[in-house]
Amino acid sequence: MSPTAKGTLWAVGAAVSLSWLPLFFLYTHTGNDPFVWRSWLIMFQSGVLGLALVVMPAKDKDWRAKTRRFLFYWGGSGEPVRVRNPLEVLKTPAFWMVIGFAVDLTFWVWAATLIDPLVATLVFQLFPLGMVWMAARLGRKISAGNRTAPHVIGGRHWALMASSFLGAALVIWSETGTVRTLNWLGIALALAATAFGIGSFWGTVSTGRLMTWPDDDPNNLVWAASLSAVVGRFFALPLTLLGSVLFFPSTDDRFDLTWTTLGFLSLIGVFNMAGAVSHRYSLYVTSRLSVQRIMFFSPPLQMLWLWIFADVSIAKPQVLLIGTAIVLLSNLGHQTKSA
């Protein structure tokens, strides 16, 4: 099987697995404090992913040596450089990964309480575009060190990515097609959630490469990136607890932890692990970032699960069909070598 075919199949697995998460989020966010909710989420996501590290087929599992690479960043020559002063920590992808894990979904849920959830969800769909841009940027930086770029995408496939985003936006819009609540704070939080979500996901991918440099074995890369996600969430947990104290100090109804909620948190951990690992494989097994537009199939699947299991009606089914068709057609383009 060609690397492009492998990357495509892994991307399909990621889209399917991650499409379940909005349904599970709906049943777990029971309190008024999104930071406490995110704290519980971090623990379950880290726990399941930590167990998965044991069975992942990687040859190099020296976690002590790899975690030291948290203090490395990409130098101008496209090779890892160790931080030499506290300010250089800001250059490390691990730093932004930790910050991202603390506030990405936290801000998204917070934004959905201030503005129409439709708008917050639409903004968050910019995530795949930002992820591809960051990966392409990383690829150009690494290739500056006389190495083959590990992530590339051409202009034609950027257009197909944008078209896929348009289709996904129409799919989400089909739920209601109207915006009821809008304010600048909510929009700012939604944009910040998207930016930090990109930072956390890109941080795991970039840190995974720093941990294994110059090894290009996909299994070792995915294992290292998953390790970075576990460690990154560990450091993000104190930040979410601090956010709860700073922004929601007087909230009485913080979080209703029932057996049902625990069950859905466990499902979030399992499906997040499957989706994240699949997404990392899709990035590591092929250099062609064009396969990432398959991730925009996730919104149609999200709507399907919400319609079946959460009794969410689709106000504009014709818009849903048009949006799904656009995503489908945008993914039929041939994967060229320069993609």
Side-chain angles (χ1 to χ4, degrees):
M1 186 182 294
S2 69
T4 301
K6 289 181 182 178
T8 301
L9 290 177
W10 281 113
V12 169
V16 173
S17 299
L18 297 176
S19 70
W20 286 91
L21 295 182
L23 176 66
F24 300 149
F25 292 156
L26 179 66
Y27 288 119
T28 57
H29 183 236
T30 58
N32 295 322
D33 186 342
F35 287 96
V36 169
W37 170 79
R38 183 57 173 143
S39 299
W40 281 103
L41 211 62
I42 283 174
M43 287 188 283
F44 277 83
Q45 289 176 327
S46 300
V48 175
L49 190 55
L51 292 174
L53 289 174
V54 178
V55 298
M56 285 185 187
K59 297 177 181 178
D60 182 10
K61 293 187 177 183
D62 187 354
W63 64 270
R64 288 184 178 87
K66 293 191 183 328
T67 50
R68 297 190 189 102
R69 289 295 181 107
F70 265 56
L71 294 178
F72 280 70
Y73 63 92
W74 296 104
S77 62
E79 295 186 357
V81 176
R82 196 182 192 284
V83 299
R84 291 158 297 204
N85 58 69
L87 282 178
E88 287 191 341
V89 173
L90 298 178
K91 296 181 179 181
T92 63
F95 174 83
W96 296 106
M97 173 182 62
V98 170
I99 301 298
F101 278 137
V103 300
D104 52 4
L105 293 177
T106 309
F107 281 2
W108 173 63
V109 170
W110 193 357
T113 65
L114 298 174
I115 60 175
D116 197 298
L118 173 69
V119 177
T121 307
L122 282 174
V123 172
F124 207 72
Q125 291 309 308
L126 292 169
F127 171 86
L129 293 175
M131 180 66 199
V132 168
W133 182 81
M134 291 296 292
R137 182 174 178 270
L138 174 63
R140 290 192 297 271
K141 182 177 285 289
I142 292 177
S143 64
N146 297 320
R147 287 168 55 91
T148 302
H151 308 291
V152 294
I153 186 169
R156 174 171 171 265
H157 288 280
W158 265 120
L160 291 172
M161 283 287 295
S163 177
S164 297
F165 167 75
L166 173 62
L170 288 174
V171 168
I172 297 169
W173 187 262
S174 69
E175 183 185 347
T176 62
T178 59
V179 175
R180 293 179 293 273
T181 308
L182 203 61
N183 62 64
W184 288 111
L185 177 59
I187 293 174
L189 285 171
L191 289 170
T194 305
F196 282 111
I198 294 167
S200 62
F201 229 112
W202 166 77
T204 63
V205 173
S206 185
T207 304
R209 288 203 174 273
L210 285 169
M211 285 178 167
T212 59
W213 180 267
D215 186 6
D216 286 329
D217 180 79
N219 289 325
N220 290 338
L221 285 165
V222 171
W223 191 89
S226 299
L227 173 66
S228 74
V230 173
V231 178
R233 286 190 174 96
F234 174 80
F235 285 106
L237 186 57
L239 297 179
T240 58
L241 297 175
L242 178 62
S244 176
V245 173
L246 292 177
F247 295 103
F248 294 88
S250 60
T251 301
D252 296 326
D253 181 22
R254 290 187 179 274
F255 194 78
D256 186 14
L257 193 61
T258 64
W259 286 109
T260 301
T261 304
L262 286 172
F264 279 113
L265 285 171
S266 300
L267 287 174
I268 287 176
V270 171
F271 279 79
N272 176 80
M273 178 275 295
V277 169
S278 297
H279 193 200
R280 288 164 196 150
Y281 266 113
S282 73
L283 286 165
Y284 288 138
V285 298
T286 176
S287 63
R288 302 175 190 180
L289 286 169
S290 57
V291 303
Q292 292 300 309
R293 63 182 185 270
I294 291 174
M295 296 298 296
F296 286 108
F297 273 114
S298 191
L301 292 172
Q302 291 172 19
M303 287 299 173
L304 178 62
W305 311 142
L306 290 170
W307 175 62
I308 294 175
F309 298 106
D311 195 26
V312 173
S313 61
I314 306 300
K316 299 181 182 297
Q318 68 276 16
V319 176
L320 173 64
L321 293 175
I322 293 172
T324 303
I326 291 175
V327 175
L328 177 61
L329 291 173
S330 298
N331 278 275
L332 293 179
H334 179 62
Q335 306 287 350
T336 65
K337 187 175 182 180
S338 62

